[in-house]
Amino acid sequence: MKKLKTYVDFARPFTLLPPALGVVSGAVTAWGAHGTRHALGSDLLLPVLWGALMAAVLNAASNAINQIYDLEIDRVNK
């Protein structure tokens, strides 16, 4: 359980929502852009949900890498 908490702390979960919402809002904008809206179904929604999840996962990985490489800088600044 402690290991999971470490992963969550590294990921900084409060920063994961904006990239996911960006993917979803981009998909909604693209869906309504041409005036011809296809019916909402799993073939349309699943790629958007996967994209939003992957945006959040990539952001979590970026946060973790930043935490590791900026350790000394963060110690000085905090």
Side-chain angles (χ1 to χ4, degrees):
M1 196 63 158
K2 185 177 179 182
K3 193 174 188 178
L4 179 62
K5 184 180 178 336
T6 302
Y7 286 132
V8 171
D9 289 343
F10 266 164
R12 297 188 326 218
F14 60 91
T15 66
L16 304 183
L17 192 58
L21 286 177
V23 169
V24 172
S25 68
V28 169
T29 301
W31 178 66
H34 293 289
T36 57
R37 295 183 183 158
H38 299 287
L40 291 177
S42 62
D43 61 326
L44 192 63
L45 293 177
L46 283 177
V48 174
L49 294 177
W50 279 113
L53 177 65
M54 290 304 103
V57 168
L58 287 172
N59 190 43
S62 172
N63 290 342
I65 290 169
N66 178 270
Q67 293 284 343
I68 293 167
Y69 282 101
D70 288 351
L71 183 62
E72 294 302 319
I73 294 168
D74 290 342
R75 282 184 180 154
V76 170
N77 290 331
K78 292 182 181 181

